[in-house]
């Protein structure tokens, strides 16, 4: 586990909301929340967007919110509508709640919470609109236990999207990011159509089309220890078709 960067004031005090979509993550959520709340970021808040998890993740989130009423909010959604819909809902609520910066990360502990202060410092010290915790820039790492087929799928997906969309980001499918609130408002979350993992690609594409600067910093991506991957055949099909839809739907968007 890396040691979190100690940011100077007032940087460490900014209003940062971490949006965490959940579906069957009851075993991981308490650990993730504990690590997030231990960060030297007193302005950090957590918004859990749960898709009515049958394993009781929503109840676990509610108990954590009762323990930390000023720092945790839980959104109970009607059912499993996909990662993209959960993020649009959660990020929209974060903006409505006054967040200056909005982070997104998975609940499965694959993204190291301790990297957030360094990512925030990189964002605040540049003119970037979003900073990505990247697996594929120099210094980035993949857990040795990450299955070979997942490595191949991730590498192929990035090459495929690069070829079709010409977006200059090495980790186009990354899900660990911090956004400036103004950038999210400019993108307009109502434009986003993706339901599954292609949400990540669509957000990067829109940011690029609108002229926003995207910064990548290296992280170590860990294999999940609890629960199962949510990647399904339907999400793979959506991800394969999404680049063509994006080029058509957003072709007239300019900065």
């Amino acid at each position: 586990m890396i040691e979190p960067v100690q940011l100077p004031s007032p940087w460490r005090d900014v209003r940062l909301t971490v949006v965490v979509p959940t579906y069957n993550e009851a075993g991981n959520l308490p650990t993730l929340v504990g690590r997030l709340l231990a960060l030297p970021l007193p302005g950090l808040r957590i918004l859990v967007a749960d898709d009515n998890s049958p394993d009781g993740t929503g109840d676990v989130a509610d108990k954590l919110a009762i323990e930390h009423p000023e720092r945790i909010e839980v959104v109970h959604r009607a059912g499993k509508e996909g990662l993209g819909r959960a993020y649009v809902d959660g990020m929209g609520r974060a903006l409505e709640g006054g967040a200056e910066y909005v982070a997104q990360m998975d609940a499965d502990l694959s993204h190291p919470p301790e990297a957030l202060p360094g990512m925030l410092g990189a964002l605040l010290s540049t003119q970037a609109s979003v900073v990505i915790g990247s697996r594929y820039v120099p210094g980035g790492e993949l857990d040795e236990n990450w299955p070979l087929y997942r490595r191949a799928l991730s590498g192929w997906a990035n090459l495929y999207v690069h070829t079709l969309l010409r977006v200059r980001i090495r980790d186009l499918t990354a899900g660990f990011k911090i956004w400036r609130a103004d950038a999210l408002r400019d993108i307009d979350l109502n434009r986003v159509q993706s339901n599954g993992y292609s949400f990540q690609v669509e957000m990067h594409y829109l940011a690029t089309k609108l002229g926003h600067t995207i910064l990548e910093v290296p992280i170590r991506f860990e294999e999940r220890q609890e629960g199962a991957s949510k990647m399904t055949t339907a999400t793979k099909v959506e991800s394969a078709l999404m680049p063509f839809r994006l080029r058509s739907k957003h072709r007239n968007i300019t900065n």
Side-chain angles (χ1 to χ4, degrees), residues 111-159:
H111 301 144
E114 294 75 20
L116 276 172
M119 291 169 62
L120 180 60
L123 187 65
L124 292 170
S125 61
T126 66
Q127 297 301 311
S129 296
V130 56
V131 62
I132 297 173
S134 177
R135 298 163 288 185
Y136 301 130
V137 293
E141 297 180 74
L142 288 171
D143 191 321
E144 296 80 3
N145 295 318
W146 211 39
L148 182 59
Y149 81 92
R150 292 290 303 277
R151 291 170 180 261
L153 179 62
S154 177
W156 176 85
N158 274 280
L159 176 61

Side-chain angles (χ1 to χ4, degrees), residues 22-82:
T22 57
Y23 187 78
N24 288 350
E25 297 290 358
N28 288 319
L29 189 60
T31 301
L32 175 62
V33 165
R35 289 169 65 178
L36 283 170
L37 294 182
L39 296 176
L41 297 172
L44 182 147
R45 303 291 182 267
I46 303 168
L47 192 153
V48 178
D50 184 66
D51 275 4
N52 197 22
S53 299
D55 75 341
T57 302
D59 294 334
V60 172
D62 284 338
K63 291 176 182 177
L64 292 167
I66 291 172
E67 294 172 11
H68 307 280
E70 300 300 318
R71 303 196 69 183
I72 300 176
E73 177 184 355
V74 183
V75 177
H76 293 280
R77 292 163 46 76
K80 191 177 182 182
E81 299 177 13

Side-chain angles (χ1 to χ4, degrees), residues 169-184:
I169 302 172
R170 294 200 180 190
D171 199 346
L172 269 165
T173 59
F176 189 26
K177 287 168 274 195
I178 304 179
W179 296 85
R180 293 183 187 270
D182 287 346
L184 290 177

Side-chain angles (χ1 to χ4, degrees), residues 203-222:
M203 290 292 287
H204 293 152
Y205 184 65
L206 284 168
T208 300
K209 289 279 285 184
L210 290 166
H212 290 281
T213 300
I214 300 173
L215 177 67
E216 292 183 85
V217 299
I219 64 158
R220 176 177 169 81
F221 183 88
E222 301 286 350

